Amino acid sequence: MQSANVLLKRIVRSSVLPFAAQHGVKKDLFPLRRTLSLSLCMKQDNSCNPSEKLDLDAWKKVMRSGLQEEVSETVSESKELSAVAAARETLEMWRLAGRAVPENISEEQLKTFMECPSKSAKKKYLKYLHLKELYKKNDKRKLEEKRERRLEKEQASKTDETKKTSFICLWDSSMDRAYNWRVAQSMVFGQPLVFDMSYENDMSFREVANTVRQLVLSEGCNRRSVDPFHIHFCNFKDDSLYHKEFIKHYKEAWSKLLITVTDQCYTEVFPKDKLIYLTADSPKVMKTFDHNKIYIVGSMVDKSIKTGVSLARAKRLGLETAALPLEKYLLWNSGAKNLTLDQMMHILLTLKDTGDWKKALEFVPKRKYCGFVNKPVHELKKTLNLINTLKFGKRQEEVRKQFAKSYSKKLTQK
Amino acid sequence: VQPPEKPLQAEEWNRLRESFRSPEIFEEVMFNSMVRCNSPIDVAKSLLTHVAKSNGDVTYNLLVKYLALCVQQGQTSEIRDVYDIMKIRFKILESGAYNLLIKGLSNSDQWRMALTLLEEVKKIMIPSRTNYESCIKAASRHQEMNLAFELYHEMLAKDLVPTLDVLQALFDFCRGVKGAELQKELFGILLYLRDNQIYPHKTFMRSIKLWFESIPGENWRGHLTNIKDSGLCPVCNHQLEDSDLTEEEYNNLRERIIKDVIHGTDTFRKTSPQEFEAFQTFVENRLPFDIVIDGLNVSHIKPRKMQCENLFDAVNCLAKENARLLVLGRKHMLGNSSHWKREIMKEMQNKADFFFAENISEDDAFLLYATLQSGKHCKFVTRDFLRDHKACLSDSQTRHLFRKWQLIHCVKSKKMFLSVFIQQPALRYDCVVQTTGDTWHIPYKDTFDEKYSYRVPRKWLCIQQK
């Protein structure tokens, strides 16, 4: 009821205002002013400078005039603002002031906004909502454009007869059936891959939501691969935040997914000596992909840099750990060495199929590395020198040489 | 775009607007540059008039920008007019407009309006510290000291940190004013500086000095001085407070370090329970140590030398004074490698106790534990500032204790020549604002913004009552 009221008020205000203002201006101000200024102009046309014939405070009258009626209506009814309404009003004002604030905000989002502990947290949250809204709007616009284009095309090609082909059109559903068949097979014969779902307490709500999104993506690419893993979600508690987010993504399909979900720990499901925990903090570097081992990936998005959380978990259970050989194969540029879950999935799938590190590490985001360490080290050094002489001239060449030297030393040590 | 110098007619604005790249945002861009160039407000007014006449309305955004221009030039009546218009148009305003209004009005003779605005802000959000700053300054400028202090306390109650400017203003405007109540308030500010380890800068210090000397009938005298290393004030021969932690603080710190730094959320993140237990019994059996050495850190002092040689030099140098040493390291130091020679390691182990942690464990946590467990006389040697460990501590009070303890117990080793270690004498006195009733000692920073937070000021203001 209250929100309806607010809405109504807003509609009234936004639609009536400009009209009233214009109306007011035209009726009361313009005729008078026009004649006045006209006569003024006529008299002193050539003599006066432009600032004198301008009424500089005219805007104030405009602003005040059209508003009297509306004010008298609103003042009486809403003296005291409730906290929610006040927050909504503030948001509206921020939007008018040109800040990054979403146009529409739901009651739930408003509540989250009010619960933010600090001003900067509030600002951040609003910016996030604002960007989300922008993306959504853009997507919608693109979709509509696409639809229009398609309609045009259809109208243009309506005259054509339907062509006959000797191939059956494979629809999505039959593709799905084929994929599902493969995954079902992997559930019996495939290599297990474990996602450790015990990090809920280490993450914020947004991080859990991101994690689940990444898991959904990884499940999708596993399903479409030639030889899928048998995915296990271990330490999975019913009615946990993970669970709720999964249901948001999968809806009814959640119960039909061809994966194993269990609240048991992986140490209870599999023999301990076969488990390898993959973590970027591990001192050990993975050399080859072992088809007889069971790899564990921690389902955690770590935005606040909590170093060593998953390593601690593996240490506690006395499991073997391993990190991807990123340093060995890539000239690392910047960014953290922890990868997203779907990138991990791509890498592991490629390793499983081909055993080719170069191919697998293509899935590391390009911004994070400069290139592959594909040639012998001395050749790499040569090209690096060449590039740098071209780039920086002679003086800095020396510095670069030093760098290349130390880098190659690091490589040979490993 | 360059704003015009004189007010323009509607047609002229229109022409300008059309020649602009993107006419939709012309007004905004123009206003921004007007604020930047501090254009006369008549020019801004003419643009507003033009906008109002062609659109029948002026957006909030533009009003705020115009307001900023008025505040910049101190046009009080304009500020009031804009406020009135905003008041009619909008139910509430947002923080940007309130900031400007409060700032603008507090500098004028209508400063009481700023106070009512502050009340209005409080209804919808927590005012910023600059809002309070403007109001407090305005109140004290008009000698309403009670009101100023009321606002000051209100601000503290809201967990806002006052700017040094506000505090200085309070001292400035209380100069020569008599009153026991006021005096108590200002002493309260000095104690606030003490509790939060804030050091005033030079001009603020001068305000404090002048205020003290202006109190009628009390005869305070202030002198600038450097305190000797022994902690003796050369002016009044008063001994400054000892920097040692009290027994209670010390125990508290030790407990927090074990709880927050070593165990944290998960003992396995830094060590393992077995390893920690082993270390505990190791330390228990050999207590107390005089100096605990961070082996790996010290071994990197001279990059051209072999790492174990560096460590060897350090151990030799420190062992001469017949002190009990503990060297912390990691297991990989025991393996015979290019940097770690077994014979040298053997020789060192005759002179000091060694504990080797797992290669993936954090040895710093052990360093802290061993030092704290040995007692107050124990020192540790590292170049590390241990900031990451300080950050693990959960509350600011303990973090401060940690820093205080670290300042006195950290032996910074500066290797001047080949193997000469110079131990920088740690400060013996506590570097905070302090009083004995008839004297005050206030450390101050020479420049406005001191670059390093770990450096404590060496200059002091000594105030005594004759």
Side-chain angles (χ1 to χ4, degrees):
Chain A
M1 191 59 207
Q2 200 182 11
S3 64
N5 252 336
V6 171
L7 197 71
L8 201 70
K9 226 183 286 163
R10 186 161 306 150
I11 291 168
V12 165
R13 191 190 297 177
S14 57
S15 59
V16 165
L17 259 182
F19 172 72
Q22 270 173 358
H23 206 65
V25 169
K26 273 189 191 137
K27 220 185 203 171
D28 312 329
L29 286 170
F30 261 128
L32 240 175
R33 176 119 320 138
R34 198 173 286 152
T35 48
L36 249 177
S37 61
L38 256 178
S39 57
L40 256 172
C41 279
M42 298 272 230
K43 270 184 210 156
Q44 340 171 297
D45 207 343
N46 300 320
S47 56
C48 73
N49 63 25
S51 69
E52 267 175 60
K53 58 187 172 183
L54 268 173
D55 179 6
L56 288 173
D57 287 332
W59 63 276
K60 287 181 191 167
K61 282 168 202 149
V62 174
M63 292 299 285
R64 279 174 185 146
S65 63
L67 288 152
Q68 298 308 333
E69 309 122 64
E70 199 238 351
V71 169
S72 54
E73 280 168 33
T74 48
V75 158
S76 55
E77 61 159 323
S78 58
K79 271 264 156 82
E80 287 298 300
L81 283 167
S82 72
V84 182
R88 212 174 259 282
E89 285 285 331
T90 326
L91 283 189
E92 179 64 20
M93 293 315 290
W94 277 346
R95 206 174 63 75
L96 287 179
R99 291 217 212 167
V101 168
E103 257 174 67
N104 305 304
I105 186 163
S106 71
E107 290 292 322
E108 202 180 324
Q109 286 167 337
L110 200 65
K111 221 180 228 167
T112 336
F113 163 74
M114 284 160 69
E115 278 161 10
C116 285
S118 67
K119 273 184 189 169
S120 64
K122 279 181 184 171
K123 222 185 258 174
K124 239 183 226 168
Y125 182 66
L126 286 178
K127 195 175 172 196
Y128 158 74
L129 289 180
H130 175 68
L131 286 180
K132 210 166 121 184
E133 199 177 46
L134 262 182
Y135 290 139
K136 229 177 200 170
K137 236 186 237 163
N138 269 348
D139 284 349
K140 213 173 176 184
R141 206 198 57 228
K142 272 180 200 160
L143 211 74
E144 248 150 45
E145 277 172 15
K146 212 172 165 187
R147 190 182 297 147
E148 259 167 45
R149 241 179 291 141
R150 204 197 299 137
L151 272 177
E152 273 173 32
K153 224 184 209 170
E154 265 173 27
Q155 275 173 347
S157 63
K158 228 170 195 177
T159 49
D160 289 358
E161 287 287 304
T162 46
K163 287 172 200 155
K164 279 182 184 170
T165 57
S166 52
F167 296 105
I168 310 160
C169 187
L170 269 182
W171 294 105
D172 283 354
S173 61
S174 37
M175 284 303 280
D176 271 346
R177 225 169 291 145
Y179 288 143
N180 279 343
W181 173 244
R182 263 194 225 150
V183 185
Q185 256 186 329
S186 84
M187 286 198 60
V188 186
F189 304 111
Q191 181 178 5
L193 177 73
V194 177
F195 283 99
D196 181 3
M197 314 291 277
S198 56
Y199 294 100
E200 199 175 298
N201 296 333
D202 293 309
M203 290 189 280
S204 67
F205 176 76
R206 283 259 295 279
E207 283 171 334
V208 175
N210 288 348
T211 307
V212 168
R213 210 182 134 76
Q214 290 178 11
L215 282 171
V216 170
L217 285 174
S218 0
E219 192 270 330
C221 81
N222 182 56
R223 192 182 341 159
R224 273 184 285 280
S225 72
V226 186
D227 180 18
F229 282 107
H230 175 194
I231 294 180
H232 284 73
F233 286 170
C234 287
N235 291 325
F236 189 92
K237 304 272 177 302
D238 274 343
D239 295 321
S240 58
L241 216 53
Y242 278 125
H243 193 184
K244 275 176 209 150
E245 283 291 315
F246 269 121
I247 285 176
K248 230 188 243 172
H249 271 281
Y250 279 116
K251 311 238 161 55
E252 305 87 67
W254 169 244
S255 52
K256 289 182 215 147
L257 274 186
L258 292 171
I259 55 175
T260 305
V261 179
T262 165
D263 60 348
Q264 283 180 305
C265 184
Y266 27 88
T267 45
E268 295 164 42
V269 184
F270 301 106
K272 235 181 184 177
D273 56 323
K274 280 203 161 183
L275 292 169
I276 295 183
Y277 210 116
L278 292 175
T279 161
D281 296 320
S282 170
K284 271 189 212 127
V285 175
M286 202 169 154
K287 287 218 174 64
T288 50
F289 183 85
D290 192 337
H291 293 268
N292 295 317
K293 295 279 189 195
I294 295 147
Y295 290 97
I296 308 168
V297 179
S299 309
M300 177 179 177
V301 168
D302 174 17
K303 282 191 176 161
S304 54
I305 317 175
K306 294 180 196 107
T307 320
V309 174
S310 55
L311 185 66
R313 205 137 304 191
K315 251 176 64 200
R316 180 195 299 279
L317 297 167
L319 297 178
E320 206 180 313
T321 59
L324 292 181
L326 299 174
E327 287 265 278
K328 192 177 162 194
Y329 288 95
L330 303 173
L331 270 169
W332 200 261
N333 183 22
S334 64
K337 298 228 168 67
N338 48 358
L339 304 174
T340 62
L341 299 171
D342 49 315
Q343 283 158 14
M344 272 316 270
M345 189 56 145
H346 276 297
I347 289 172
L348 289 174
L349 278 170
T350 321
L351 278 180
K352 189 156 103 102
D353 291 344
T354 62
D356 185 349
W357 277 108
K358 189 172 179 289
K359 232 181 191 171
L361 294 181
E362 289 280 349
F363 290 102
V364 176
K366 296 274 182 294
R367 65 172 189 281
K368 288 194 176 183
Y369 63 92
C370 306
F372 276 92
V373 184
N374 45 2
K375 291 179 206 162
V377 172
H378 64 273
E379 255 176 71
L380 190 85
K381 213 164 86 183
K382 238 191 249 164
T383 41
L384 216 97
N385 277 345
L386 191 69
I387 291 169
N388 288 322
T389 23
L390 290 175
K391 235 188 200 170
F392 303 101
K394 276 237 161 120
R395 232 185 72 77
Q396 267 175 329
E397 184 192 359
E398 290 299 307
V399 186
R400 300 286 146 175
K401 239 184 210 163
Q402 203 77 36
F403 167 74
K405 217 180 189 172
S406 62
Y407 194 83
S408 62
K409 210 194 236 165
K410 228 158 94 193
L411 284 182
T412 44
Q413 267 173 3
K414 271 183 185 158
Chain B
V1 281
Q2 192 67 32
E5 283 171 13
K6 280 180 190 157
L8 299 186
Q9 293 283 12
E11 309 88 69
E12 291 170 300
W13 279 121
N14 263 335
R15 226 174 298 137
L16 259 185
R17 187 186 149 108
E18 253 130 57
S19 64
F20 188 64
R21 260 177 288 120
S22 36
E24 320 82 65
I25 55 163
F26 169 75
E27 286 87 6
E28 272 182 55
V29 176
M30 184 52 90
F31 260 108
N32 281 345
S33 72
M34 279 183 197
V35 173
R36 206 174 330 111
C37 306
N38 205 8
S39 307
I41 56 165
D42 281 352
V43 181
K45 274 182 181 177
S46 78
L47 179 54
L48 277 183
T49 307
H50 168 60
V51 171
K53 281 192 176 161
S54 48
N55 300 345
D57 189 18
V58 178
T59 58
Y60 180 74
N61 199 358
L62 290 188
L63 281 179
V64 173
K65 288 193 166 126
Y66 176 64
L67 187 62
L69 191 65
C70 297
V71 170
Q72 200 167 294
Q73 302 178 2
Q75 306 271 1
T76 314
S77 65
E78 274 310 298
I79 296 172
R80 287 222 46 173
D81 279 355
V82 176
Y83 175 62
D84 288 341
I85 287 171
M86 282 181 161
K87 210 58 210 157
I88 308 173
R89 266 333 272 278
F90 308 101
K91 208 185 283 174
I92 59 168
L93 308 181
E94 49 77 60
S95 44
Y98 277 128
N99 284 346
L100 286 168
L101 286 170
I102 290 178
K103 193 172 157 210
L105 291 170
S106 65
N107 283 330
S108 69
D109 49 353
Q110 307 199 358
W111 61 278
R112 276 184 199 280
M113 272 275 296
L115 294 181
T116 47
L117 275 169
L118 188 71
E119 288 304 314
E120 225 175 291
V121 177
K122 271 189 234 160
K123 271 184 216 156
I124 48 171
M125 59 191 146
I126 299 173
S128 70
R129 68 176 188 164
T130 44
N131 290 159
Y132 273 109
E133 181 180 329
S134 310
C135 291
I136 292 174
K137 274 187 178 166
S140 45
R141 201 177 298 126
H142 296 86
Q143 286 302 318
E144 297 250 2
M145 293 321 291
N146 287 337
L147 180 62
F149 277 109
E150 204 176 292
L151 286 170
Y152 169 70
H153 288 300
E154 193 180 299
M155 175 179 184
L156 290 187
K158 290 197 161 109
D159 272 341
L160 294 170
V161 181
T163 54
L164 289 184
D165 261 14
V166 166
L167 302 182
Q168 187 182 348
L170 289 173
F171 275 98
D172 279 341
F173 289 111
C174 282
R175 197 177 299 159
V177 182
K178 204 180 153 91
E181 203 54 36
L182 271 187
Q183 203 168 327
K184 219 172 107 196
E185 291 282 7
L186 288 173
F187 284 158
I189 292 180
L190 290 175
L191 293 178
Y192 175 83
L193 296 181
R194 175 193 168 88
D195 289 340
N196 295 284
Q197 296 90 50
I198 299 169
Y199 306 117
H201 48 80
K202 214 170 186 173
T203 46
F204 184 11
M205 176 275 297
R206 228 165 259 145
S207 300
I208 296 174
K209 181 167 175 277
L210 287 176
W211 173 73
F212 265 107
E213 289 170 348
S214 77
I215 304 175
E218 297 210 353
N219 225 355
W220 290 92
R221 277 285 148 267
H223 298 276
L224 305 186
T225 174
N226 291 312
I227 301 287
K228 288 178 192 161
D229 284 340
S230 59
L232 209 64
C233 171
V235 180
C236 61
N237 269 325
H238 174 72
Q239 180 71 33
L240 291 192
E241 276 175 49
D242 205 8
S243 60
D244 276 344
L245 303 189
T246 64
E247 205 61 44
E248 194 192 336
E249 284 173 332
Y250 192 82
N251 290 335
N252 190 7
L253 179 65
R254 188 172 54 198
E255 268 161 41
R256 300 304 307 190
I257 289 219
I258 294 176
K259 193 160 166 281
D260 290 343
V261 178
I262 297 176
H263 293 305
T265 50
D266 187 350
T267 316
F268 283 95
R269 274 175 78 171
K270 293 206 167 136
T271 165
S272 68
Q274 293 92 333
E275 194 185 26
F276 185 58
E277 217 167 281
F279 179 68
Q280 269 182 317
T281 44
F282 173 88
V283 171
E284 247 29 82
N285 289 337
R286 285 154 221 248
L287 278 178
F289 298 104
D290 296 319
I291 298 175
V292 183
I293 302 168
D294 184 350
L296 278 172
N297 189 295
V298 169
S299 73
H300 285 282
I301 284 183
K302 283 220 143 190
R304 284 178 189 280
K305 263 190 161 181
M306 217 195 293
Q307 285 168 12
C308 71
E309 257 184 279
N310 274 327
L311 183 59
F312 188 66
D313 288 343
V315 169
N316 268 344
C317 173
L318 294 167
K320 268 180 202 153
E321 289 149 33
N322 212 3
R324 283 183 56 80
L325 304 182
L326 169 65
V327 181
L328 291 166
R330 294 217 182 98
K331 288 223 165 106
H332 73 77
M333 291 157 75
L334 286 170
N336 211 358
S337 65
S338 60
H339 268 294
W340 299 98
K341 294 278 172 259
R342 202 165 274 160
E343 308 85 64
I344 302 178
M345 291 300 287
K346 274 254 169 65
E347 206 179 325
M348 266 192 280
Q349 291 186 35
N350 294 329
K351 295 185 177 168
D353 282 311
F354 272 73
F355 184 85
F356 296 101
E358 290 293 334
N359 289 341
I360 51 172
S361 294
E362 293 249 2
D363 48 0
D364 290 346
F366 294 140
L367 179 83
L368 294 176
Y369 178 78
T371 313
L372 281 166
Q373 206 65 21
S374 295
K376 281 186 183 173
H377 71 285
C378 183
K379 301 185 165 87
F380 62 86
V381 181
T382 180
R383 288 184 305 172
D384 199 322
F385 286 106
L386 305 170
R387 292 193 190 95
D388 47 342
H389 301 290
K390 193 172 95 177
C392 288
L393 293 168
S394 47
D395 60 314
S396 62
Q397 198 58 44
T398 329
R399 252 177 268 158
H400 167 57
L401 279 185
F402 181 81
R403 212 194 121 176
K404 201 170 153 189
W405 172 78
Q406 192 191 1
L407 262 182
I408 42 174
H409 280 267
C410 181
V411 185
K412 281 191 219 122
S413 55
K414 244 195 208 163
K415 205 173 171 200
M416 307 295 277
F417 300 106
L418 274 177
S419 60
V420 187
F421 280 78
I422 294 173
Q423 285 183 26
Q424 274 189 356
L427 289 179
R428 290 230 203 108
Y429 55 91
D430 199 5
C431 198
V432 288
V433 175
Q434 42 192 284
T435 177
T436 56
D438 58 349
T439 64
W440 281 87
H441 286 90
I442 299 164
Y444 67 92
K445 296 186 288 189
D446 223 1
T447 46
F448 182 72
D449 48 345
E450 198 76 39
K451 206 170 170 191
Y452 305 103
S453 64
Y454 60 84
R455 265 198 201 152
V456 288
R458 309 303 295 263
K459 298 198 168 176
W460 289 72
L461 168 67
C462 163
I463 298 171
Q464 50 178 331
Q465 205 168 14
K466 287 266 161 71

